Amino acid sequence: MILETGVVVAVESDGLWVETIQKSACEVCVAEKGCGQKFLSKLAGKTVSIRVLRNKRSSEEFTVGQSVTIGIPEDIIVMASLLVYLLPIFTAIGGAWLFSDSDWQAVGGAFGGLLLGGLLVNLHSVRKRDDVRFNPVLMEEQIQPNILNFQH
């Protein structure tokens, strides 16, 4: 499980939006000096908002600005990467092969296959939107109270 700490930026009825600064990969990457990703994220303060399921906790327990720790299963990252990158490529190759009578038909078939692959990835994403196995989740023991917004 990959753990990231972030700040709640929105509370919805079915989940939270958590903003994180991507740094965990930069801390262990061997191309640290030659990459520039770490430098750009420091310079621009690049943040990412992630939709996180609440693990059957009440939305009243969370406030905007609260610090939380989220967990993302490694196998889901691998499977999602394979799905997002390989499925459109394979459908584009399949489309080009099916319409290989002429060059223009092959180009059209490849483009149509690419669009079909993107549509299939989108449909899979919509179907798995609320499935705990395919989404980042709040780590129960890691939830931290928001000290900054604490009022008496």
Side-chain angles (χ1 to χ4, degrees):
M1 179 86 57
I2 296 173
L3 300 177
E4 287 286 336
T5 302
V7 177
V8 176
V9 293
V11 179
E12 295 179 344
S13 61
D14 59 345
L16 306 170
W17 283 93
V18 176
E19 188 173 83
T20 63
I21 298 175
Q22 292 179 332
K23 61 182 179 203
S24 60
C26 291
E27 301 298 325
V28 295
C29 182
V30 291
E32 180 179 350
K33 290 188 170 74
C35 174
Q37 178 68 26
K38 187 174 183 178
F39 173 74
L40 288 175
S41 68
K42 280 184 182 179
L43 183 67
K46 182 180 178 186
T47 59
V48 176
S49 292
I50 300 171
R51 183 175 173 272
V52 180
L53 300 179
R54 290 182 280 117
N55 283 354
K56 300 179 183 174
R57 295 182 63 143
S58 171
S59 60
E60 288 82 29
E61 295 181 43
F62 303 99
T63 59
V64 173
Q66 181 177 356
S67 179
V68 295
T69 300
I70 60 174
I72 306 168
E74 294 96 348
D75 59 331
I76 296 304
I77 293 174
V78 172
M79 292 301 291
S81 298
L82 290 174
L83 179 74
V84 168
Y85 291 114
L86 292 182
L87 183 64
I89 290 173
F90 286 146
T91 54
I93 291 170
W97 179 72
L98 283 174
F99 298 99
S100 61
D101 294 338
S102 72
D103 290 343
W104 288 108
Q105 287 179 342
V107 168
F111 184 69
L114 185 66
L115 290 176
L116 176 65
L119 178 66
L120 291 173
V121 168
N122 187 33
L123 288 174
H124 182 269
S125 175
V126 169
R127 289 186 63 214
K128 302 297 182 182
R129 177 178 165 88
D130 294 322
D131 191 342
V132 176
R133 296 174 298 162
F134 296 98
N135 284 286
V137 293
L138 287 171
M139 302 307 293
E140 297 291 337
E141 67 279 356
Q142 297 290 330
I143 295 176
Q144 303 166 359
N146 185 5
I147 296 172
L148 297 176
N149 289 338
F150 181 76
Q151 296 180 11
H152 299 299

